[in-house]
């Protein structure tokens, strides 16, 4: 198949297996340009908005933050930092409902805006990016928290480090899922931003060719970008047939290049890297203005919404506030879907925040998008396999997922399933096939995680045992050395004194002590007594006392004397 491309050249396009022509429902939200939204009352920012390790808070409750300030990050390679979308106070760090198919809550930073919308100091713009080295640009993209905004949310800086030259850069503007129009709106309203990002990506990867792929139902977007491409640029805007899911990465590579990404492989293996148009625009903001990723375009649509459209929403804005800005609900809608009708998932509440990967909030009525009928037994019709764009065997995957035979379901290339929903859509038995695959993937990841953790624990245990053994061996070696050293050393001779000398010394000490005692006694005897040298008067008094004592003794009866004594 050949199509008209830039500069009148024809370009060969390929077909992928399966796919579906679906009612588009795109007009509902395309009637007016994208609108700015007012400042929300609270912003709820999940720490895990990307594929990889969740970011960790860098701030505390009660702290005042400025717009664009980094508020969470992690040091692992596959992660993305988080920035405050406006200035305000951090009022909470805790679990809140988040947009996830599991419906489980996740850790979030909650900011109460102060209304001033005051920017923090931003890094300097890299306007001359052609002179900047790739590492500097990658670091800027990483620090700006940019992830794939087409829904994959893989950190863009990691994707931009393929470790080898890449021949083809593909910019994905296909936006193939019904209802969603935010990429179309971005290309129509802000084509310069998109093209600026495309050129930065082209420079970073030094690719031979850059192909911007847009489905042929978006003529205005095609024209808007086409008009900005210079003749001497290796960039082409390619109009591709509208067929769901042509925007799937592997499907788009197949359409544009005819190359097949191997099972469980990456596009870089076939010399291709893909980025979404919104990601390209965010990269332009980061490099040329130093602005981090703090807002995105979101389609609010469906018959259940009063004034559908596209809205520039701060990351963390509650869905309920965004829906209120789109005029609120109408027609008694039956459900609220995050994403489109094919790949989106039901939300239990509208009290969930917009994240970096949220491209659409769909609110259909029951007539518009009837609930699937009750599932019946598989009749082995094979329709699911006919439409599968990944060329899988959905029926077999269903059986093994249902039986929880995870090994077997992986043998059928479960992880090549892009969860496009084509198989479920055509299944005459109304089996919710994608839900089985999601469950099987989740269980397989959990098992793998458990296996890694126990392997890690075993490695830690083995390392500890080895360390203790080393320490014990070292201790024994030290003792042995010490003993050997002692054995070699001649015994120290004691300064033995002859026994006779000891005795002599004791005897001498005794004699010296006796001598000292004798000298002391002689000295005492030599001292004058207090009855010597008396005056005649003193002598007379003493004699008088003596006579009185004698007289008393003679007059006292004997028994009294005895008692007194
Ligand atoms: S389409 Fe449904 S009924 Fe038909 S083979 Fe697949 S799972 Fe079975
Ligand atoms: S959901 Fe998976 S199995 Fe079903 S059609 Fe899409 S890729 Fe194939």
């Amino acid at each position: 198949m050949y199509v008209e491309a830039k500069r009148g050249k024809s370009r060969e396009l390929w077909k992928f297996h399966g796919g579906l022509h679906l009612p588009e429902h795109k007009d509902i939200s395309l009637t007016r340009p994208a609108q700015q939204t007012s400042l929300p009352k609270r912003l709820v920012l999940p720490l895990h908005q990307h594929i990889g390790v969740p970011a960790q808070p860098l701030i505390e409750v009660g702290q005042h933050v400025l717009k664009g300030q980094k508020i969470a990050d992690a040091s692992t390679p596959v992660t993305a930092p988080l920035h405050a979308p406006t200035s305000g106070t951090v009022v909470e760090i805790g679990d809140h409902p988040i947009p996830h198919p599991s419906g489980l809550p996740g850790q979030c930073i909650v900011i109460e805006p102060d209304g001033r919308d005051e920017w923090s100091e931003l890094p300097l713009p890299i306007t001359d990016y052609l002179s900047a080295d790739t590492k500097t640009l990658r670091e800027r993209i990483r620090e700006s928290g940019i992830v794939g905004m087409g829904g994959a949310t893989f950190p863009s800086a990691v994707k931009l480090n393929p470790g080898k030259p890449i021949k083809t850069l593909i910019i994905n503007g296909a936006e193939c899922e019904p209802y969603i129009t935010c990429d179309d709106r971005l290309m129509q309203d802000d084509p310069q931003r998109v093209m600026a990002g495309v050129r930065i990506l082209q420079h970073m990867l030094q690719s031979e060719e850059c192909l911007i792929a847009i489905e042929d139902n978006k003529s205005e977007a095609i024209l808007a970008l086409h008009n900005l491409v210079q003749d001497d640029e290796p960039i082409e805007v390619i109009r591709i047939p509208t067929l769901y899911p042509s925007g799937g990465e592997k499907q788009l590579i197949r359409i544009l290049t005819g190359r097949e990404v191997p099972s469980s492989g990456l596009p870089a293996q076939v010399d291709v890297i893909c980025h979404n148009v919104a990601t390209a625009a965010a990269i332009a903001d980061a490099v040329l203005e130093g602005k981090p990723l703090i807002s995105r375009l979101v389609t609010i649509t469906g018959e259940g919404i009063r004034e559908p459209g596209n809205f520039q929403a701060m990351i963390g804005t509650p869905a309920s506030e965004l829906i209120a800005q789109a005029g609120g609900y109408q027609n008694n809608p039956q459900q609220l879907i995050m994403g489109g009708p094919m790949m989106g998932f039901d939300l239990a509440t509208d009290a969930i925040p917009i994240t970096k990967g949220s491209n659409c909030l769909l609110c259909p009525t029951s007539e518009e998008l009837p609930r699937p009928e009750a599932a019946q037994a598989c009749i082995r019709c094979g329709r699911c396999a006919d439409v599968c764009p990944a060329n899988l065997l959905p029926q077999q995957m269903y059986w093994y997922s249902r039986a929880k035979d995870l090994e077997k379901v992986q043998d059928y290339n479960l992880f090549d399933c892009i969860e496009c929903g084509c198989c479920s859509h055509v299944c005459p038995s109304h089996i919710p096939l994608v839900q089985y695959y999601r469950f099987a993937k989740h269980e397989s990841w959990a098992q793998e995680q458990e296996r890694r953790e126990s392997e890690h624990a075993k490695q830690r245990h083995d390392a500890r045992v080895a360390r203790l053994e080393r320490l014990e061996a070292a201790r024994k070696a030290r003792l042995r050395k010490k003993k050997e050293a002692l054995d070699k050393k001649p015994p120290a001779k004691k300064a033995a004194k002859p026994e006779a000398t000891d005795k002599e010394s004791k005897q001498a000490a005794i004699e010296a002590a006796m001598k000292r005692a004798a000298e002391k006694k002689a000295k005492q005897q030599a001292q004058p007594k207090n009855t010597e040298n008396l005056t005649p008067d003193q002598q007379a008094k003493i004699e008088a006392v003596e006579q009185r004592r004698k007289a008393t003794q003679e007059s006292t009866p004997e028994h009294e004397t005895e008692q007194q004594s």
Side-chain angles (χ1 to χ4, degrees), residues 312-390:
Q312 187 70 34
M314 284 182 183
I315 307 297
T317 303
S320 54
E321 287 201 33
L322 217 45
I323 289 166
Q325 299 204 25
Y329 296 107
Q330 65 169 7
N331 298 333
N332 194 22
Q334 64 161 351
Q335 63 187 131
L336 182 60
I337 299 170
M338 176 62 83
M342 299 299 282
M343 296 182 80
F345 52 89
D346 274 13
L347 295 172
T349 167
D350 60 8
I352 53 98
I354 295 303
T355 61
K356 294 176 183 179
S358 307
N359 53 4
C360 180
L361 279 169
L362 171 61
C363 191
T365 59
S366 51
E367 298 80 41
E368 187 185 4
L369 205 68
R371 287 274 191 197
E373 292 171 34
Q376 291 168 9
C378 169
I379 55 169
R380 299 171 188 268
C381 66
R383 283 194 212 171
C384 48
D386 292 344
V387 296
C388 176

Side-chain angles (χ1 to χ4, degrees), residues 2 33 39 80 305 320 427 485:
Y2 286 83
L39 208 57
I305 298 289
S320 54
C427 177

